[in-house]
Amino acid sequence: MSLLKEFRDFAVRGNVVDLAVAVVIGGAFGRIVTSLVNDIIMPPIGLLVGGVDFSDLAIVLKEATVGADGEAVAAVTMGYGAFIQVIIDFAIIAFAIFMIVKLINNLKRREEKATTPPPPTVNKTEVLLEEIRDLLKTSKNPS
C-alpha cells in the first residue's frame, strides 16, 4: 500500500498538476498557432511568392512507377515545404510565448513596486533631537 500512497502523493503534488495543466493548455495553444500559420499567415506569403503552397514543395527522389503486377508504386519525395511550414510554426509559437512571459514579468514587477512600502518619513523633531543628542555626546567626551 505504501507504493500507492507514494504515487498518489506524487500525482497530486502541485508541480505535477501545474505541469499537466500546462501540457493541456500548450496543446490547445499549439493548435491555435498552427491554424494561424496555415490559414492566416501562409496564404498571403504563398500569394506573394507566386501562389506557391509551401506544404506541396518537395524534391522528387524517385518518380512514381507502375509495378509489373500493375500496382502503382508511390514516388519517393523529400517534403522540404512541410519542414519550412514547421519552422514558421515554431518561430511564431516561440515569439508568442516570449511575449506572454514578458507580459507576466512586467506585471510581476508592477505588483512588486505597488506592494513595496514607501520609506518612512523622518519627523523633523526627531532629527533635531538626534542632532542635540549627538552634540551632547561630543561635548561630554572630547576626543
Side-chain angles (χ1 to χ4, degrees), residues 71-82:
E71 287 189 35
V73 177
V76 178
T77 60
M78 279 195 318
Y80 69 91

Side-chain angles (χ1 to χ4, degrees), residues 28-122:
F29 185 71
R31 287 193 301 268
I32 290 170
V33 172
T34 299
S35 175
L36 172 71
V37 170
N38 291 340
D39 302 329
I40 305 296
I41 294 173
M42 292 311 289
I45 291 174
L47 186 64
L48 287 174
V49 294
V52 175
D53 181 9
F54 282 97
S55 61
D56 293 338
L57 295 177
I59 297 173
V60 178
L61 300 175
K62 182 180 176 190
E63 294 289 336
T65 59
V66 178
D69 57 356
E71 287 189 35
V73 177
V76 178
T77 60
M78 279 195 318
Y80 69 91
F83 181 69
I84 292 171
Q85 185 76 30
V86 170
I87 290 173
I88 292 171
D89 285 353
F90 171 77
I92 291 171
I93 290 170
F95 182 73
I97 290 173
F98 167 75
M99 294 305 292
I100 290 170
V101 169
K102 185 174 175 147
L103 175 70
I104 290 170
N105 288 339
N106 286 340
L107 291 175
K108 282 184 181 179
R109 276 191 228 118
R110 285 185 192 161
E111 183 179 300
E112 288 173 1
K113 274 186 177 180
T115 59
T116 307
T121 57
V122 181

